[in-house]
Amino acid sequence: LTDFEGQRGAIAREAEAARDNVKFLSCLEAPCAELAAAPPAAVPALLPRVLNCVRIVWSLSAHYNTPERLVGLLRRIAGEVVARCAAAVRAHNPLAARGEAGVRAAVVALAESIAACEALKDCYARTAAAVARALPAARNWEGVDVTPVFPVVEAFLQRCRDLSDVCEAQLQFVPAAAASPGDPASPDTSHSDQG
């Protein structure tokens, strides 16, 4: 009976913690849904709201404010940003882009993806600074090891930069658009030079 009473108390405590977690994590639902549907160009504008919700959870939640849970939330957000950017890059397929317009579209997708990933890092730094100003040292994010959060972002950024270099090289070899026959700027290849 003693063991049963102890288990019943633990279940009641866990149920209360779950209710508290749902209450605070629900503030992340709408901004994360927007993030999950956003193209890379829209991601930087959405990130401050998402990270402010993470800040609310950290500051006010009684149970979901541990470093491990914070890192877990940040990893999911970073993973979603990379997933949105990767989908946009795949849609323009930089390595298979044909013609100048296709390569330039891939360059734009890569630039937007790079900007989105950089915005995530900048937004995290600003939010961490705001938490440090608002909370005592024992409760701010300076002591939280966030190194597991950003390696996937850094690796994706490097791939995007490498693909951007490939696209820039491709643009040098894309055939020029067909010019009109009377255009003096275009070489006239219809006649051979007979001297």
Side-chain angles (χ1 to χ4, degrees):
L1 185 59
T2 305
D3 289 344
F4 175 77
E5 290 294 335
Q7 291 296 325
R8 186 171 72 172
I11 290 170
R13 286 191 299 275
E14 290 299 321
E16 177 55 36
R19 278 192 293 275
D20 186 67
N21 291 344
V22 167
K23 179 174 74 173
F24 286 103
L25 290 174
S26 64
C27 76
L28 278 161
E29 190 173 355
C32 286
E34 289 179 32
L35 182 65
V43 167
L46 297 173
L47 287 172
R49 184 174 170 213
V50 173
L51 287 178
N52 279 334
C53 289
V54 173
R55 180 181 171 189
I56 288 170
V57 172
W58 174 263
S59 302
L60 303 177
S61 170
H63 302 281
Y64 212 89
N65 56 6
T66 64
E68 298 79 21
R69 288 182 167 170
L70 173 66
V71 169
L73 280 176
L74 293 173
R75 286 182 72 177
R76 287 185 198 94
I77 292 165
E80 188 59 43
V81 169
V82 169
R84 299 308 308 140
C85 295
V89 170
R90 275 194 305 273
H92 291 92
N93 199 352
L95 296 177
R98 297 289 180 252
E100 184 176 358
V103 175
R104 289 203 184 279
V107 168
V108 169
L110 289 164
E112 290 173 347
S113 297
I114 290 169
C117 291
E118 292 289 353
L120 174 62
K121 295 191 310 183
D122 293 343
C123 191
Y124 169 77
R126 285 193 308 273
T127 306
V131 170
R133 286 191 303 272
L135 295 175
R139 292 288 304 128
N140 65 33
W141 291 358
E142 289 178 7
V144 177
D145 181 14
V146 294
T147 51
V149 175
F150 295 107
V152 67
V153 176
E154 291 296 340
F156 183 74
L157 273 170
Q158 188 57 49
R159 285 188 209 109
C160 286
R161 290 183 183 117
D162 292 344
L163 285 170
S164 293
D165 291 344
V166 169
C167 288
E168 292 298 329
Q170 282 181 314
L171 284 173
Q172 294 179 7
F173 299 103
V174 171
S180 59
D183 187 355
S186 66
D188 189 359
T189 56
S190 60
H191 307 109
S192 60
D193 192 8
Q194 300 173 357

